[in-house]
Structures are given as structure tokens and as C-alpha cells.
Amino acid sequence: MITIDELLHLMRTRRSTRRLSRQPLTPQQEHSLLEAFISAPSSGNSQPWHVRIIRDSPLKQRLRQAALNQSFVEHAAAVFVICADTDRAFKAYHRRGVELYCLQDTAAATQNLLLAAHAMGLAACWVGAFRESSVRDVLSLPESLRPVAIIAVGTAEQQPDTPARRPIHEICPDLGG
Ligand SMILES: Cc1cc2nc3c(=O)[nH]c(=O)nc-3n(C[C@H](O)[C@H](O)[C@H](O)COP(=O)(O)O)c2cc1C
């Protein structure tokens, strides 16, 4: 078991990294990232998610265009497209499953993936600014799979600065001591 200090260190030093090398991930690295992903909690353990890994340059280029031309999407070693499986979510929890839980479930799993990437010495950036319909077209996703996050993964070519966090007392007035 790792200590809380080790865990906090991992969390605090993870950065959204946009200067990524194209050096391919190994199958073992991809597998470990997905192990981390599927280890996340989900509503009623419904696991309403689906992941595509894009390594192919022409497809990465089209994803870059779908992601409002954010160039690091194309230059990443691999691009993970995280989808919410709305059919699974509906079967489990009807409207609340589709409108809320599957978004929370996929976000929790995505954060697991980001932390695992960092622990493995990889770097990544979560991309939320993209046209869903374009991503659907690029990957021929069925209607039931809603693309909710694009994760560009690679090796850091430059370490970003640490963006400031709001102080704890501002976001939670209830802390004792
Ligand atoms: C839901 C979500 C959407 C994001 N979308 C983008 C994006 O489209 N492009 C980008 O460069 N960074 C994006 N980010 C990364 C944030 O800018 C970044 O997490 C934030 O600035 C804090 O930096 P840090 O991750 O290094 O702590 C996104 C992050 C989240 C959680």
C-alpha cells in the first residue's frame, strides 16, 4: 500500500502536458492505463464506458481538427477517446444514468488513467473542447456511445508550470482545526 504522502505527491505532480513526443506506447503501457481506467468506481458498478485508442496519424489529424485544432492531439503518441455508453447507463439508471451518472463514471475512470500515466512516467492532457459530432464521424461511433473526453498521451517533452489551486478554506468552509 502506498502512503497518503506518496499518493498526494503523485496527484500534485500530475500535469496537463501539451508538449508530447510521438514515441509509441508499448502494449503493456496501454494495458496498464486501461487497467487503471476500469478500476474506477461507477454507478451500481454499471461501467458505462467504452474506449478507443488512436495511434494512426491520419486519424489523429482528424481528431485534432475535431478538437478545435488543438495541435498536441495530433502529435501525441496515442489518443484515447473516452465514450459514455448511454445504452448501458439507461439500462442501469434510466434518465439519471444517461444525464448524470455515466458522465461521472467516465470522469472518475479518466482521472484514474491520468494518474496511472503519470505514475508510469508518461504525460497526458485531457481534452474536453471538441465537436462531438466530428469525433463520432471520425471513429464511426454508434449513437449509444457519446464521446466525452479525448486524452492525448505520450512522453513529456517539456514540463509545464503548476497552475494554482483555490485554497481549501475557500472551497470547503467546514474544515475543522
Ligand atoms: C473536463 C476537462 C476539459 C479540459 N479540456 C481541455 C482542452 O480542451 N484543452 C486543453 O489544453 N486542456 C484541457 N483541460 C486541461 C485543463 O486545462 C487542466 O487540467 C487545468 O488547466 C489544470 O492544469 P493541470 O491539469 O496541469 O493541473 C481540460 C481538463 C478537464 C478536466
Side-chain angles (χ1 to χ4, degrees):
M1 186 74 82
I2 64 169
T3 67
I4 184 62
D5 285 346
E6 288 167 334
L7 181 61
L8 281 175
H9 178 75
L10 184 77
M11 290 173 166
R12 286 183 180 134
T13 54
R14 178 210 54 79
R15 289 277 70 77
S16 294
T17 307
R18 300 169 183 88
R19 298 281 294 273
L20 298 164
S21 82
R22 284 178 202 254
Q23 188 183 337
L25 306 187
T26 65
Q28 184 53 49
Q29 284 174 320
E30 291 182 355
H31 190 267
S32 296
L33 293 174
L34 293 174
E35 277 285 344
F37 184 93
I38 65 168
S39 300
S42 64
S43 46
N45 201 29
S46 59
Q47 305 167 63
W49 43 51
H50 182 86
V51 181
R52 297 284 309 274
I53 304 178
I54 310 306
R55 312 171 190 89
D56 171 71
S57 286
L59 279 184
K60 284 193 287 190
Q61 190 187 9
R62 291 179 65 197
L63 286 176
R64 165 199 177 146
Q65 288 163 356
L68 316 185
N69 217 26
Q70 298 186 72
S71 58
F72 62 88
V73 172
E74 181 180 350
H75 298 131
V79 178
F80 287 63
V81 178
I82 314 298
C83 302
D85 183 333
T86 58
D87 274 356
R88 274 188 92 87
F90 186 80
K91 279 183 193 128
Y93 290 108
H94 304 105
R95 194 169 152 187
R96 194 164 175 80
V98 173
E99 291 181 355
L100 180 64
Y101 293 161
C102 70
L103 303 180
Q104 296 177 325
D105 298 335
T106 46
T110 299
Q111 173 66 354
N112 272 12
L113 186 153
L114 292 181
L115 286 175
H118 180 42
M120 291 156 62
L122 297 170
C125 188
W126 182 323
V127 174
F130 59 84
R131 284 184 294 272
E132 287 187 28
S133 58
S134 304
V135 172
R136 274 183 193 289
D137 285 349
V138 172
L139 301 181
S140 303
L141 295 174
E143 198 57 40
S144 59
L145 295 182
R146 180 180 179 190
V148 291
I150 290 176
I151 311 298
V153 184
T155 309
E157 288 197 324
Q158 194 180 50
Q159 199 53 34
D161 292 337
T162 303
R165 280 344 194 218
R166 294 168 58 198
I168 289 173
H169 66 80
E170 188 182 303
I171 60 116
C172 176
D174 306 314
L175 185 69

